[in-house]
Amino acid sequence: MHGLMMNTPLLISSLIKYAAQYHRDTQVVTRTLEGPIRFTDFEKINERAKKLACGLLEFGIKSGDRIATLAWNTDRHLELYYGISGIGAICHTLNLRLSDEELIYIINHAEDKLLFYDHTLKIRVEKISPHLKSVQKFVSISKTDQLENKDSDFFNYENLLSEKITKFDWPIFNENQAASLCYTSGTTGSPKGVLYSHRTTVIHALASCLNNVLALRVDDVVLPVVPMFHVNAWGIPYSVPISGAKLVMPGDKLDGENLFELMDIEGVTIALGVPTVWLSLLDYMDKKGRKPKALERVIIGGAAVSESMIDRFEIEYGVNVHHAWGMTEMSPIGVLNSLKPKFSKLSRANKMPTKLKQGRGIYGVELLVVDDDGKELPRDGVSSGHLLVRGPWIIDKYYKEKKSALTKDGWFDTGDIATIDHDGYMNITDRSKDIIKSGGEWISSVGLENVVVGHDAVLQAAVIGVSHPKWQERPLLICVPKGSFRPSLEEMNNYLSDKVPKMWLPDAIEWVEKLPIGATGKIVKAELRKIYKNYKL
Ligand code: AMP
């Protein structure tokens, strides 16, 4: 027997409609690419997104059409998120850090009809445009005071907005319709598209607001450093409007000084991003001798956060750090670390091993760790294996692929290696392809890196396995120094000796000026493995 309750579809438009009604005058603040700070609010975002929606319909865009964006975090990009998905078209965010060849492949694969871009990227767009098979028009969303001819291939956003919205209301359609598309970075093989639906996006947004997750409040001021061109900025453009928090968009200025100023002036209470962006903010905070005045929490994910980074934020500045983990295929949030009340009795040193873990599964995401044969491993915090996930905002199939991406039991294999403890705290020990297999034991490259970056002389570190005649693989440590001091291998191993198991101690250390950073802000270990392929230990 079915329940007898209303079956109203969960549509993305309902999020901005709600915000426009109940958080009408809540500000959305943008550091524009043109320079000045621009202020708008949720009511105006909703109005302009509707104008865009009408303009797209007048242009001939239909439900299911893919529309690409190549843009930074701004209010305009937010209007695109809602205006495109709101009429059943698909907002395809392009990662502007990808190479021209990757962008061309992805746009042609998605068969995007329009491409919206920030004017600073125009040269790139012009360069790749002859290779794009499906794109009919290129629309600039910034520097829109320079009106261009609507009949040319390149015109600007304000030309497209339609004034005929008096009778327009967001259309209602099936919640399982696709809403947005994001390609994975594709470290192996071609990039693959993850196609989110309205339903998955709305449920993910609701879950993100929960107290044990982002705990977004109406009096929060949220700054996503995490880009809208990578996994929908962790869903912030969808969760913030329902929470009613103020939204602050940093545009393309993501260095410590610019972030600090914006956070300070706008009273940012919570900021989200990958570890690398926080290094530059922390350095600037050190220079100023204070934190941005209202900052309470930073959410760090995308790569493992180190103990030294947590200490700098928490001990020196009183800013709470929450570690989080997820992936493109998971919309992306999977776990977030908040300590259970019982931990409050423990000393900082005793809390730290748990705080460093990626976090506990959030409601909606089931987690499982299995061995090489697919057998479930105990939740003892020690047994590490392949991390599988299942839930309503997790991928089933990649875009345009016939085969399901799941195991025969309906789980998605994340490609991460992890442990789960009896409280449910999950700890990523490695990507399965990065783990170092040494004499039948596994060495966690992430675990080792986290400790190494605690050394005063080290700014960034990466550990890779290099082949060894006896042990199969041994760890090579590659570091970027903070200053001129570069400790020897012996000095480094002395420092590490009481912090990691003896067999983890690296066999060699290399000092480099910089590490290769990929399009999603993570160290590209595949690149390092290529460089050090024939490394002799
Ligand atoms: P992406 O799909 O590009 O967001 O990458 C997802 C992958 O990033 C995950 O499968 C992990 O390997 C890695 N990742 C994300 N968050 C964390 C974290 N907090 N700690 C370690 N690795 C992470």
Side-chain angles (χ1 to χ4, degrees):
M1 190 188 286
H2 280 174
L4 296 174
M5 308 307 278
M6 281 192 204
N7 192 5
T8 53
L10 300 171
L11 298 178
I12 281 176
S13 55
S14 69
L15 305 172
I16 197 67
K17 191 171 164 182
Y18 169 81
Q21 279 175 334
Y22 294 97
H23 304 293
R24 187 178 60 75
D25 51 0
T26 300
Q27 276 187 330
V28 176
V29 181
T30 300
R31 183 192 287 281
T32 62
L33 273 76
E34 296 89 331
I37 305 284
R38 184 166 56 218
F39 298 91
T40 181
D41 57 41
F42 284 129
E43 186 175 43
K44 294 195 191 88
I45 295 278
N46 185 42
E47 278 304 293
R48 283 178 57 86
K50 281 183 173 179
K51 287 183 178 180
L52 170 65
C54 288
L56 290 172
L57 291 170
E58 282 168 21
F59 185 84
I61 295 301
K62 302 216 165 34
S63 174
D65 283 347
R66 275 80 63 207
I67 312 288
T69 66
L70 187 69
W72 296 95
N73 290 11
T74 64
D75 49 359
R76 293 277 186 280
H77 207 172
L78 190 65
E79 290 166 16
L80 286 165
Y81 265 44
Y82 285 102
I84 296 170
S85 306
I87 55 165
I90 297 163
C91 180
H92 174 200
T93 50
L94 297 166
N95 187 333
L96 51 83
R97 299 208 174 96
L98 294 176
S99 67
D100 290 349
E101 290 67 35
E102 286 166 313
L103 285 178
I104 293 167
Y105 170 85
I106 288 172
I107 296 169
N108 286 337
H109 188 264
E111 299 172 85
D112 296 318
K113 287 222 164 126
L114 292 174
L115 194 161
F116 289 85
Y117 65 93
D118 268 318
H119 75 280
T120 48
L121 302 160
K122 187 167 182 187
I123 293 173
R124 275 196 89 184
V125 174
E126 282 172 336
K127 193 165 152 221
I128 62 172
S129 64
H131 307 282
L132 305 179
K133 296 181 186 140
S134 53
V135 180
Q136 297 165 9
K137 297 276 182 193
F138 301 87
V139 188
S140 170
I141 62 166
S142 43
K143 237 188 182 166
T144 47
D145 51 331
Q146 295 169 7
L147 289 181
E148 290 171 50
N149 181 356
K150 201 171 177 176
D151 299 326
S152 85
D153 281 351
F154 281 79
F155 62 93
N156 92 45
Y157 188 65
E158 300 299 324
N159 288 144
L160 195 69
L161 301 192
S162 167
E163 290 304 326
K164 297 180 200 149
I165 62 160
T166 37
K167 291 213 177 73
F168 180 84
D169 204 357
W170 292 114
I172 304 295
F173 44 82
N174 189 312
E175 65 183 15
N176 291 310
Q177 241 177 262
S180 65
L181 176 63
C182 182
Y183 279 69
T184 58
S185 8
T187 40
T188 51
S190 304
K192 290 180 182 163
V194 180
L195 189 60
Y196 310 101
S197 76
H198 282 259
R199 175 187 152 81
T200 59
T201 308
V202 172
I203 307 180
H204 179 266
L206 287 169
S208 305
C209 291
L210 290 174
N211 237 312
N212 281 331
V213 190
L214 299 180
L216 297 177
R217 303 182 313 249
V218 72
D219 57 346
D220 266 323
V221 180
V222 184
L223 181 132
V225 185
V226 24
M228 291 172 80
F229 57 75
H230 180 54
V231 220
N232 299 331
W234 299 353
I236 286 297
Y238 304 116
S239 51
V240 167
I242 42 175
S243 72
K246 171 173 155 181
L247 186 57
V248 181
M249 298 294 213
D252 62 349
K253 307 258 175 336
L254 305 181
D255 58 288
E257 182 173 355
N258 273 300
L259 281 178
F260 184 98
E261 270 180 13
L262 189 63
M263 288 163 107
D264 206 38
I265 295 168
E266 294 306 323
V268 168
T269 57
I270 164 170
L272 307 93
V274 297
T276 38
V277 303
W278 302 126
L279 281 176
S280 140
L281 178 72
L282 279 165
D283 286 346
Y284 194 73
M285 281 158 66
D286 288 350
K287 212 162 137 192
K288 294 286 270 191
R290 68 175 179 91
K291 64 171 188 172
K293 63 176 185 280
L295 188 62
E296 293 169 8
R297 298 182 278 157
V298 286
I299 313 292
I300 307 184
V305 64
S306 64
E307 183 169 350
S308 58
M309 183 170 279
I310 297 181
D311 281 349
R312 281 177 83 185
F313 270 118
E314 295 198 341
I315 299 178
E316 290 173 37
Y317 297 106
V319 175
N320 290 324
V321 172
H322 294 275
H323 200 181
W325 166 88
M327 61 195 311
T328 309
E329 287 86 341
M330 299 178 69
S331 302
I333 305 180
V335 311
L336 186 125
N337 197 322
S338 54
L339 289 183
K340 291 171 94 172
K342 68 177 183 184
F343 289 94
S344 62
K345 296 186 208 100
L346 300 182
S347 67
R348 188 168 176 81
N350 286 335
K351 272 182 207 164
M352 194 45 83
T354 308
K355 200 169 165 70
L356 274 169
K357 294 184 179 184
Q358 275 67 15
R360 276 184 299 152
I362 67 176
Y363 172 75
V365 177
E366 288 179 79
L367 303 167
L368 196 65
V369 173
V370 299
D371 66 14
D372 285 343
D373 301 322
K375 202 167 121 267
E376 184 171 357
L377 292 169
R379 293 180 167 237
D380 55 9
V382 183
S383 309
S384 75
H386 307 274
L387 178 64
L388 311 186
V389 291
R390 189 163 70 179
W393 55 79
I394 294 168
I395 194 166
D396 177 353
K397 268 187 206 140
Y398 289 100
Y399 180 52
K400 288 190 173 172
E401 297 214 348
K402 290 210 175 67
K403 247 180 67 205
S404 164
L406 309 184
T407 66
K408 62 179 183 342
D409 302 327
W411 292 82
F412 178 70
D413 185 342
T414 62
D416 286 329
I417 303 292
T419 61
I420 304 177
D421 67 23
H422 57 273
D423 282 315
Y425 287 90
M426 184 274 280
N427 188 26
I428 301 274
T429 51
D430 240 317
R431 286 293 291 166
S432 55
K433 57 186 185 311
D434 293 337
I435 200 126
I436 300 161
K437 293 182 175 156
S438 182
E441 300 240 17
W442 286 3
I443 298 174
S444 159
S445 67
V446 175
L448 196 48
E449 287 155 9
N450 281 347
V451 183
V452 171
V453 291
H455 192 292
D456 283 344
V458 178
L459 184 66
Q460 280 176 305
V463 178
I464 56 166
V466 288
S467 57
H468 188 280
K470 180 168 173 203
W471 300 107
Q472 180 188 357
E473 276 186 339
R474 289 295 302 155
L476 163 66
L477 173 60
I478 306 153
C479 295
V480 179
K482 255 191 206 148
S484 53
F485 176 50
R486 299 172 175 209
S488 65
L489 178 68
E490 198 186 347
E491 283 165 320
M492 180 56 80
N493 283 349
N494 272 342
Y495 164 78
L496 294 173
S497 60
D498 59 346
K499 299 177 181 69
V500 299
K502 191 159 177 279
M503 62 119 21
W504 286 24
L505 295 179
D507 280 29
I509 183 167
E510 287 292 326
W511 293 93
V512 294
E513 288 310 311
K514 61 178 190 197
L515 290 167
I517 304 289
T520 56
K522 296 171 206 184
I523 297 168
V524 189
K525 293 218 184 147
E527 189 69 32
L528 290 175
R529 277 194 285 269
K530 253 190 239 159
I531 299 171
Y532 295 99
K533 195 166 158 232
N534 300 317
Y535 196 83
K536 292 274 168 287
L537 288 173

